[in-house]
Each structure stands twice: as C-alpha cells, then as structure tokens.
Amino acid sequence: MSQTANTVLVADIGGTNARFALADLSASVPLNQSSIDEYPVTEFASLADAAAHYLQQQGASAGSGVFAVAGRVDGDEARITNHPWVISRSRTAAQLGFKQLHLINDFVAQAMSIALLGPEDVVQIGGASWAPAPAGESRNYCVLGPGTGLGVGGLVARDGRNYPLATEGGHASFAPASPEQIRILEILSAQFGRVSNERLICGPGLVNIHRALSEIAGTDPGHLQPADVTARAAEGDAVAARAVEVFLEIFGAVAGDAVLVQGAWDGVFLTGGLVPRLLHELQHSGFRQRFESKGRFSATMSQIPSMAILHPCPGLLGAAAYAVDMQRAASGVSA
C-alpha cells in the first residue's frame, strides 16, 4: 500500500490551538510523535487551510482524517465555543481530497486514547493498580478531564472493538458532601442558580471555589485566574491551599460517581490541562478517599484503578486509535 493509503491525518481542535499529527495504520504504535505540530486557529481562515498547511510543512500526504473537536458534532457539522471556524465534515474532506473524514467529539478521542495507553503514559492515584488489557478482553472505562470545562466520557471494549461514549456528565448536578461544601453550594447557587459539577471542577471552577471560601472567610480575593489560585496555594496562602484541596476532593467524588453511573469497573482515567499541573497535589489529596466513599459500594470502589494521564497529546492518540478501529471495522478484523 502507498503511504497515502496507510497514513491518516489526525487533529485535536480546541478553542485556541489546532494540533495535527500523522498516524500510520500499519504501525504497532500508530501515532507518529515526531510529526506533531500546533497552530493558533486565528492564523487560518478554516480548518481545511490549517490542515493543508500542516501537510505541506510535513511534506506528507494522507488519504483520510480523524479530527477531534472540543464541541458537539451534529451530523455533518461541528461548532466550537469561542472559535472562529464552522467545521463542515464533507466540505473539509473535499478541500483536502480525503476519501473519508471523521469528526469526533474531543472526549470520544480522550476515551479512545485509553486503548493505546501504556504504563509509561499514566500515574497511579491510590492503591488500585492498572495494566493495559490483553487483546480481545472486555473492559469498561470512564475518563474525566477538567480544563476550560469538565469533560466526561467512557470506553467499552468488546470483541476486539472499542466503543467510545460521548456524554455531558460534567453538567450533572453537584452533590455536596460536607457542611463546608453545602455552604459553597449556597454561595454558587446565589450566583448561578443551578450548580453543575462543571461549576467547580474545571479551571474557572477552581476560581469559583476559591471565591466562595474567601466569602466564607470574610475576605475579597479580587479577580483571579486559576493559575493565580494555584500560585497562591504554593506560596502558603491558606484559603488558596484549601481551595485546591476542596477542588480535588470534589473531583474524587465526581470521578467515583462517574464510575457508578457508567459501570466503569475497570478504571477511571483523569485527563485535561489541570491534571498534570496538579499531579503532586492530586497524589497527596483527599481525591481517592472521596472516590472510594460510596457507602455500600466503598469496598468495590477501593479496587478500581484511578490513573492520571501524562501522555502529552491524548487527543491525538485517541484520534489515531479511532482511525485504527475504523479500519478494523471496515476490514472485519478484530484486535
């Protein structure tokens, strides 16, 4: 087969940057790490222009693509919040000369990345260990990622195929688990009305928690960014340090709830921009205690792995995994 037939262009499109890479479907490790490049979306009029520029820069060609987008995919079209592009699958495929182009939600890609993760790509949080599943074995996983928002997805492995689950679990209602969290909920309810998990577990959510704790303490923190809260915590500011602790405790509770709702008995994977930045704090926090604290299911939860993803580009890895799975489905071959 020619390079074009074996090569798939994969992309991870966010609100600010577009990442591209090449995937070789015939390789045991399909994602070509050395081919990864990133561009600000404002530099190009369309996704097709950015993709064509990338291929030209690489001196490469591809016959198909898998593009993960941080937004809802509705039929032929995808729209991303705060994004200058409206992405049409059919029009983009035609402009790039692709025989096939898949547009997938970014958390479909995050979920699919689990299929290609190795032990070197993750860090264990808590006492339950994880190892990649042998080929063909059934598995149920979930994935959560706090970044600009809170993404939640799942992966069901059956009969050599991987089936990603796109969900909006980040918008499930926040359930406080202590008097302090009840007070935080009251403060945020006065501002937002309904309070979802995403109002607390994401970058802006960390700021919301800090602002609520500051109000409880009778202080005004001023206008802060998430990095300001973590910086203050590192400098020893008591309210900021408690905000990070509360954030991670709630994150653990939400992750445990996602396991229960999805039946993800084989593990939960933590991704998103905040996870690597807060890895040390995550390892020494109440995350795991709140994850396991599920009443009659506590003993079961103590056996379920929770893994922080440290792979630098899990969205691209997942897009490559999706391409491999689509090829297997088309050829009728199981893993």
Side-chain angles (χ1 to χ4, degrees):
M1 296 175 72
S2 69
Q3 181 196 17
T4 299
N6 267 340
T7 303
V8 175
L9 176 62
V10 295
D12 186 9
I13 313 300
T16 304
N17 295 307
R19 283 182 171 176
F20 295 96
L22 300 173
D24 182 353
L25 300 187
S26 64
S28 58
V29 180
L31 181 65
N32 180 350
Q33 292 277 154
S34 65
S35 72
I36 296 172
D37 207 348
E38 180 178 282
Y39 309 110
V41 297
T42 53
E43 290 186 1
F44 299 92
S46 69
L47 174 55
D49 288 342
H53 175 79
Y54 168 81
L55 290 171
Q56 182 181 34
Q57 291 293 109
Q58 291 287 323
S61 57
S64 61
V66 176
F67 295 171
V69 297
R72 184 169 178 265
V73 178
D74 186 8
D76 186 69
E77 190 173 276
R79 291 178 179 269
I80 304 174
T81 305
N82 300 320
H83 201 296
W85 298 338
V86 176
I87 303 168
S88 162
R89 183 199 59 79
S90 57
R91 189 162 57 248
T92 302
Q95 289 174 294
L96 293 171
F98 285 174
K99 293 181 179 178
Q100 194 172 51
L101 175 62
H102 296 278
L103 287 182
I104 61 175
N105 174 265
D106 60 336
F107 261 77
V108 167
Q110 292 285 347
M112 287 295 292
S113 76
I114 298 170
L116 294 181
L117 291 173
E120 70 281 3
D121 297 317
V122 296
V123 170
Q124 181 176 319
I125 307 298
S129 61
W130 170 82
E137 286 201 5
S138 296
R139 289 290 188 273
N140 284 24
Y141 297 117
C142 67
V143 58
L144 290 88
T148 305
L150 175 62
V152 180
L155 186 72
V156 177
R158 293 290 186 277
D159 302 319
R161 290 290 311 282
N162 295 303
Y163 300 93
L165 306 176
T167 86
E168 291 297 340
H171 295 281
S173 297
F174 168 54
S178 68
E180 178 184 54
Q181 290 182 19
I182 290 172
R183 183 65 186 124
I184 291 171
L185 174 60
E186 290 172 345
I187 291 169
L188 296 186
S189 293
Q191 179 179 359
F192 298 113
R194 178 180 181 269
V195 178
S196 68
N197 288 324
E198 187 175 79
R199 292 294 190 188
L200 298 102
I201 307 305
C202 64
L206 177 60
V207 174
N208 288 338
I209 293 171
H210 181 261
R211 188 171 58 250
L213 291 175
S214 297
E215 181 173 329
I216 292 169
T219 61
D220 181 0
H223 181 71
L224 300 180
Q225 296 297 319
D228 298 323
V229 178
T230 55
R232 289 189 181 189
E235 293 166 0
D237 181 280
V239 176
R242 183 58 189 153
V244 172
E245 291 170 3
V246 170
F247 177 93
L248 294 172
E249 289 169 3
I250 297 172
F251 189 19
V254 171
D257 287 345
V259 167
L260 293 174
V261 168
Q262 295 186 24
W265 309 121
D266 298 300
V268 59
F269 289 80
L270 313 175
T271 187
L274 290 177
V275 169
R277 294 175 207 163
L278 293 176
L279 181 62
H280 176 78
E281 292 83 354
L282 184 60
Q283 292 173 303
H284 300 88
S285 72
F287 174 93
R288 188 68 197 190
Q289 189 272 329
R290 298 305 307 161
F291 177 85
E292 296 180 14
S293 183
K294 298 300 177 187
R296 288 170 287 179
F297 269 79
S298 293
T300 299
M301 297 298 290
S302 70
Q303 303 302 311
I304 295 172
S306 53
M307 312 298 294
I309 298 177
L310 297 188
H311 188 283
C313 300
L316 292 176
L317 186 69
Y322 190 95
V324 170
D325 211 64
M326 290 298 98
Q327 184 194 57
R328 287 175 179 158
S331 61
V333 176
S334 296

Short mmCIF file of all heavy atoms in Angstrom, two decimals, residues 100-123:
data_model
loop_
_atom_site.label_atom_id
_atom_site.label_comp_id
_atom_site.label_asym_id
_atom_site.label_seq_id
_atom_site.Cartn_x
_atom_site.Cartn_y
_atom_site.Cartn_z
N GLN A 100 -12.22 9.86 3.11
CA GLN A 100 -13.03 9.73 4.31
C GLN A 100 -12.51 10.68 5.38
O GLN A 100 -11.30 10.84 5.54
CB GLN A 100 -12.99 8.29 4.84
CG GLN A 100 -14.03 7.97 5.88
CD GLN A 100 -14.04 6.48 6.19
OE1 GLN A 100 -13.00 5.88 6.46
NE2 GLN A 100 -15.22 5.87 6.14
N LEU A 101 -13.43 11.32 6.10
CA LEU A 101 -13.06 12.19 7.21
C LEU A 101 -14.08 11.98 8.32
O LEU A 101 -15.28 12.07 8.10
CB LEU A 101 -13.05 13.66 6.79
CG LEU A 101 -12.81 14.68 7.90
CD1 LEU A 101 -11.44 14.48 8.54
CD2 LEU A 101 -12.96 16.11 7.39
N HIS A 102 -13.57 11.70 9.52
CA HIS A 102 -14.43 11.56 10.70
C HIS A 102 -14.25 12.78 11.59
O HIS A 102 -13.11 13.15 11.93
CB HIS A 102 -14.05 10.30 11.50
CG HIS A 102 -14.27 9.02 10.75
ND1 HIS A 102 -15.49 8.41 10.66
CD2 HIS A 102 -13.40 8.25 10.05
CE1 HIS A 102 -15.38 7.30 9.95
NE2 HIS A 102 -14.13 7.18 9.57
N LEU A 103 -15.35 13.41 11.97
CA LEU A 103 -15.35 14.42 13.01
C LEU A 103 -15.87 13.78 14.28
O LEU A 103 -16.96 13.20 14.30
CB LEU A 103 -16.27 15.59 12.65
CG LEU A 103 -15.83 16.57 11.57
CD1 LEU A 103 -16.88 17.67 11.43
CD2 LEU A 103 -14.47 17.18 11.88
N ILE A 104 -15.08 13.85 15.36
CA ILE A 104 -15.49 13.24 16.62
C ILE A 104 -15.33 14.26 17.75
O ILE A 104 -14.52 15.17 17.69
CB ILE A 104 -14.69 11.97 16.94
CG1 ILE A 104 -13.19 12.27 17.06
CG2 ILE A 104 -14.93 10.91 15.86
CD1 ILE A 104 -12.34 11.07 17.51
N ASN A 105 -16.12 14.10 18.78
CA ASN A 105 -16.01 14.94 19.97
C ASN A 105 -14.66 14.69 20.65
O ASN A 105 -14.12 13.59 20.60
CB ASN A 105 -17.16 14.61 20.92
CG ASN A 105 -17.05 15.34 22.24
OD1 ASN A 105 -16.52 14.79 23.20
ND2 ASN A 105 -17.54 16.56 22.29
N ASP A 106 -14.13 15.73 21.27
CA ASP A 106 -12.79 15.58 21.88
C ASP A 106 -12.76 14.53 22.98
O ASP A 106 -11.74 13.88 23.18
CB ASP A 106 -12.28 16.93 22.40
CG ASP A 106 -13.15 17.55 23.48
OD1 ASP A 106 -14.36 17.24 23.53
OD2 ASP A 106 -12.64 18.37 24.25
N PHE A 107 -13.89 14.31 23.67
CA PHE A 107 -13.87 13.28 24.70
C PHE A 107 -14.13 11.89 24.16
O PHE A 107 -13.86 10.90 24.85
CB PHE A 107 -14.76 13.65 25.90
CG PHE A 107 -13.93 14.23 27.00
CD1 PHE A 107 -13.49 15.54 26.92
CD2 PHE A 107 -13.51 13.46 28.06
CE1 PHE A 107 -12.67 16.07 27.89
CE2 PHE A 107 -12.69 13.97 29.04
CZ PHE A 107 -12.26 15.28 28.96
N VAL A 108 -14.61 11.79 22.94
CA VAL A 108 -14.55 10.50 22.24
C VAL A 108 -13.08 10.15 22.01
O VAL A 108 -12.65 9.01 22.24
CB VAL A 108 -15.33 10.56 20.92
CG1 VAL A 108 -15.00 9.35 20.04
CG2 VAL A 108 -16.83 10.62 21.18
N ALA A 109 -12.30 11.13 21.58
CA ALA A 109 -10.87 10.90 21.38
C ALA A 109 -10.17 10.59 22.69
O ALA A 109 -9.33 9.68 22.77
CB ALA A 109 -10.22 12.11 20.70
N GLN A 110 -10.49 11.34 23.74
CA GLN A 110 -9.87 11.08 25.05
C GLN A 110 -10.17 9.66 25.51
O GLN A 110 -9.29 8.96 26.04
CB GLN A 110 -10.37 12.09 26.09
CG GLN A 110 -9.92 13.52 25.86
CD GLN A 110 -8.47 13.77 26.21
OE1 GLN A 110 -7.81 12.95 26.85
NE2 GLN A 110 -7.95 14.91 25.81
N ALA A 111 -11.41 9.22 25.31
CA ALA A 111 -11.78 7.86 25.70
C ALA A 111 -11.02 6.83 24.85
O ALA A 111 -10.49 5.84 25.37
CB ALA A 111 -13.28 7.66 25.56
N MET A 112 -10.96 7.06 23.55
CA MET A 112 -10.28 6.12 22.66
C MET A 112 -8.78 6.04 22.97
O MET A 112 -8.14 5.02 22.71
CB MET A 112 -10.48 6.52 21.21
CG MET A 112 -11.87 6.25 20.68
SD MET A 112 -12.31 4.49 20.61
CE MET A 112 -11.20 3.91 19.31
N SER A 113 -8.21 7.09 23.52
CA SER A 113 -6.77 7.06 23.83
C SER A 113 -6.44 5.96 24.82
O SER A 113 -5.31 5.45 24.83
CB SER A 113 -6.31 8.41 24.37
OG SER A 113 -6.72 8.62 25.71
N ILE A 114 -7.39 5.58 25.66
CA ILE A 114 -7.14 4.54 26.66
C ILE A 114 -6.66 3.25 25.99
O ILE A 114 -5.81 2.53 26.53
CB ILE A 114 -8.40 4.28 27.50
CG1 ILE A 114 -8.78 5.54 28.27
CG2 ILE A 114 -8.20 3.11 28.47
CD1 ILE A 114 -10.16 5.47 28.94
N ALA A 115 -7.18 2.99 24.78
CA ALA A 115 -6.82 1.76 24.07
C ALA A 115 -5.35 1.70 23.69
O ALA A 115 -4.81 0.61 23.45
CB ALA A 115 -7.69 1.61 22.82
N LEU A 116 -4.68 2.86 23.61
CA LEU A 116 -3.28 2.90 23.20
C LEU A 116 -2.34 3.33 24.33
O LEU A 116 -1.13 3.44 24.11
CB LEU A 116 -3.10 3.84 22.01
CG LEU A 116 -3.75 3.41 20.69
CD1 LEU A 116 -3.46 4.44 19.60
CD2 LEU A 116 -3.26 2.03 20.25
N LEU A 117 -2.86 3.58 25.52
CA LEU A 117 -2.01 4.00 26.62
C LEU A 117 -1.17 2.83 27.14
O LEU A 117 -1.65 1.70 27.26
CB LEU A 117 -2.85 4.55 27.78
CG LEU A 117 -3.56 5.88 27.56
CD1 LEU A 117 -4.48 6.19 28.74
CD2 LEU A 117 -2.56 7.01 27.35
N GLY A 118 0.07 3.14 27.47
CA GLY A 118 0.93 2.17 28.12
C GLY A 118 1.21 2.60 29.54
O GLY A 118 0.88 3.72 29.95
N PRO A 119 1.84 1.73 30.35
CA PRO A 119 2.14 2.08 31.75
C PRO A 119 2.96 3.36 31.88
O PRO A 119 2.84 4.07 32.88
CB PRO A 119 2.92 0.86 32.25
CG PRO A 119 2.48 -0.27 31.36
CD PRO A 119 2.23 0.35 30.02
N GLU A 120 3.78 3.66 30.86
CA GLU A 120 4.61 4.86 30.92
C GLU A 120 3.81 6.15 30.69
O GLU A 120 4.33 7.25 30.92
CB GLU A 120 5.73 4.79 29.88
CG GLU A 120 5.28 4.90 28.43
CD GLU A 120 4.70 3.62 27.84
OE1 GLU A 120 4.57 2.61 28.57
OE2 GLU A 120 4.35 3.64 26.64
N ASP A 121 2.56 6.02 30.26
CA ASP A 121 1.73 7.19 29.93
C ASP A 121 0.84 7.63 31.08
O ASP A 121 0.12 8.63 30.95
CB ASP A 121 0.84 6.89 28.72
CG ASP A 121 1.63 6.61 27.46
OD1 ASP A 121 2.60 7.36 27.22
OD2 ASP A 121 1.28 5.67 26.73
N VAL A 122 0.85 6.89 32.18
CA VAL A 122 -0.09 7.16 33.27
C VAL A 122 0.63 7.12 34.62
O VAL A 122 1.72 6.54 34.74
CB VAL A 122 -1.26 6.15 33.29
CG1 VAL A 122 -2.10 6.27 32.02
CG2 VAL A 122 -0.74 4.72 33.43
N VAL A 123 0.01 7.73 35.62
CA VAL A 123 0.48 7.66 37.01
C VAL A 123 -0.69 7.20 37.86
O VAL A 123 -1.80 7.74 37.77
CB VAL A 123 1.00 9.03 37.50
CG1 VAL A 123 1.24 9.00 39.00
CG2 VAL A 123 2.28 9.41 36.78
#
